[in-house]
């Protein structure tokens, strides 16, 4: 039976993405209980009609959604809820994790007869607000099918990429392109500026050409005008994702020098105090 509005949902992680996704589920009529490590992040969702989730009551929720910062955060939160999980619950993880961490958590969940579906997303905060995310799912095919009513509220497309871990592997490849591309976009904007180009015209001028992309249309105007608020992609998030790509490549004995160089640039920018800043600020690392 599909997971429709009759099922209670626990949503853990009210960050930039999770808060917007939870808001859409509430607006669609789902019963949602929310949790965040910093409880005040839940306040806007509570005002919208969500319940405040107590982690020791996780067994009351057949469907558990997570959207957390990284491997360490997901591992820590899973350790908190693991003792109270019961058979036949389903965990859908929208976080961006390493493949190894996902496989370990899926195995631990399976030992409790709990299904783990890795479902990292692409589309940024705008996609989360508008319900136009794309989802890369890894795990049981039939279970992914039963999640359709939930996915439909959050995304424009869900693709099952294979067994557990393949959703995360796909997201890592996605982030490799986005993160490495962001450093190249910064170089292009900086070079154009030095050459006397009105950089505010770059995005419309290149639109529809071979150099165009969604990241270019988002980042180039922000870089040209030094508009870094509101934060759309955090530097530390893309740095983390790119590091996952480099690590995954190492496991498979594959050299990815462009991604490795981009990672070095993002890590250097992060070390200069820009970890929480928008990805567009990487232009400042060049200027």
């Amino acid at each position: 039976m599909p997971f429709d509005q009759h099922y209670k949902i626990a949503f853990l992680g009210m960050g930039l993405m999770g808060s917007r996704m939870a808001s859409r589920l509430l607006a669609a009529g789902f019963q949602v209980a929310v949790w965040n490590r910093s409880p005040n992040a839940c306040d806007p969702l509570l005002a919208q009609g969500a319940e405040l989730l107590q982690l020791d009551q996780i067994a009351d929720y057949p469907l558990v959604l997570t959207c957390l910062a990284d491997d360490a955060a997901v591992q820590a939160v899973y350790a908190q809820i693991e003792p109270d999980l019961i058979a036949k619950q389903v965990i859908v993880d929208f976080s961006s994790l390493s493949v190894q961490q996902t496989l370990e958590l899926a195995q631990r969940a399976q030992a409790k007869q709990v299904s783990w579906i890795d479902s990292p997303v692409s589309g940024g905060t705008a996609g989360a607000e508008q319900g136009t995310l794309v989802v890369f799912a890894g795990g049981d095919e039939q279970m992914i099918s039963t999640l359709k009513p939930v996915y439909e509220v959050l995304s424009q497309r869900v693709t099952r990429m294979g067994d557990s871990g393949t959703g995360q592997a796909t997201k890592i490849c996605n982030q490799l392109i986005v993160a490495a591309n962001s450093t190249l976009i910064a170089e292009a904007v900086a070079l154009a500026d030095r050459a006397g180009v009105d950089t505010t015209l770059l995005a419309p001028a290149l639109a529809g050409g071979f150099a165009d992309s969604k990241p270019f249309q988002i980042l180039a105007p922000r870089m040209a005008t030094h508009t870094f608020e509101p934060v759309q992609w955090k530097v530390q998030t893309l740095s983390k994702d790119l590091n996952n790509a480099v690590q995954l490549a190492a496991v498979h004995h594959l050299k990815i020098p462009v991604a490795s160089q981009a990672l070095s640039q993002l890590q250097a920018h992060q070390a200069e105090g820009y970890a929480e800043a928008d990805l567009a600020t990487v232009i400042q690392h060049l200027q």
Side-chain angles (χ1 to χ4, degrees), residues 92-173:
V92 180
D93 182 37
F94 293 114
S95 316
S96 294
L97 305 186
S98 67
V99 172
Q100 184 58 40
Q101 182 67 86
T102 292
L103 293 176
E104 290 176 6
L105 290 170
Q107 188 172 29
R108 284 168 62 177
Q110 187 178 27
K112 300 207 69 169
Q113 300 180 54
V114 172
S115 298
W116 183 284
I117 305 294
D118 49 306
S119 294
V121 302
S122 181
T125 53
E129 277 186 10
Q130 298 161 14
T132 57
L133 296 169
V134 293
V135 179
F136 316 118
D140 181 77
E141 185 172 6
Q142 185 174 353
M143 184 59 68
I144 290 169
S145 179
T146 67
L147 292 164
K148 184 178 179 181
V150 174
Y151 284 137
E152 283 183 335
V153 174
L154 305 174
S155 66
Q156 59 176 299
R157 183 173 68 255
V158 179
T159 307
R160 179 181 180 267
M161 308 309 297
D163 296 330
S164 289
T166 59
Q168 293 294 355
T170 304
K171 176 61 183 290
I172 285 170
C173 292

Side-chain angles (χ1 to χ4, degrees), residues 43-279:
D43 291 347
L45 285 307
L46 300 180
Q48 195 177 334
E51 298 178 3
L52 186 62
L53 174 67
Q54 303 298 325
L55 291 187
D56 60 2
Q57 297 174 3
I58 200 71
D60 294 340
Y61 300 87
L63 182 58
V64 180
L65 311 180
T66 56
C67 191
L68 301 162
D70 51 27
D71 281 19
V74 175
Q75 187 175 33
V77 171
Y78 182 78
Q80 286 182 265
I81 66 174
E82 187 174 27
D84 298 303
L85 292 172
I86 59 174
K88 296 186 178 180
Q89 281 183 286
V90 178
I91 297 176
V92 180
D93 182 37
F94 293 114
S95 316
S96 294
L97 305 186
S98 67
V99 172
Q100 184 58 40
Q101 182 67 86
T102 292
L103 293 176
E104 290 176 6
L105 290 170
Q107 188 172 29
R108 284 168 62 177
Q110 187 178 27
K112 300 207 69 169
Q113 300 180 54
V114 172
S115 298
W116 183 284
I117 305 294
D118 49 306
S119 294
V121 302
S122 181
T125 53
E129 277 186 10
Q130 298 161 14
T132 57
L133 296 169
V134 293
V135 179
F136 316 118
D140 181 77
E141 185 172 6
Q142 185 174 353
M143 184 59 68
I144 290 169
S145 179
T146 67
L147 292 164
K148 184 178 179 181
V150 174
Y151 284 137
E152 283 183 335
V153 174
L154 305 174
S155 66
Q156 59 176 299
R157 183 173 68 255
V158 179
T159 307
R160 179 181 180 267
M161 308 309 297
D163 296 330
S164 289
T166 59
Q168 293 294 355
T170 304
K171 176 61 183 290
I172 285 170
C173 292
N174 179 88
Q175 296 303 83
L176 185 160
I177 295 169
V178 173
N181 197 18
S182 71
T183 63
L184 195 59
I185 291 168
E187 291 180 7
V189 174
L191 180 59
D193 183 56
R194 293 287 180 91
V197 173
D198 179 351
T199 54
T200 64
L201 299 178
L202 279 176
L206 274 62
F210 281 2
D212 197 18
S213 65
K214 282 188 176 180
F216 182 79
Q217 289 297 326
I218 293 171
L219 289 170
R222 290 166 71 89
M223 289 176 175
T225 59
H226 280 214
T227 302
F228 305 134
E229 297 287 344
V231 175
Q232 293 184 316
W233 289 308
K234 290 182 181 179
V235 170
Q236 68 178 6
T237 301
L238 271 294
S239 181
K240 175 262 296 184
D241 292 341
L242 200 48
N243 185 60
N244 281 340
V246 171
Q247 295 300 320
L248 183 62
V251 168
H252 294 285
H253 309 290
L254 179 68
K255 292 182 179 180
I256 48 174
V258 174
S260 298
Q261 176 61 30
L263 175 60
S264 296
Q265 289 179 253
L266 287 182
Q267 287 176 333
H269 187 53
Q270 182 173 332
E272 291 174 353
Y274 291 91
E276 296 285 333
D278 189 83
L279 185 60

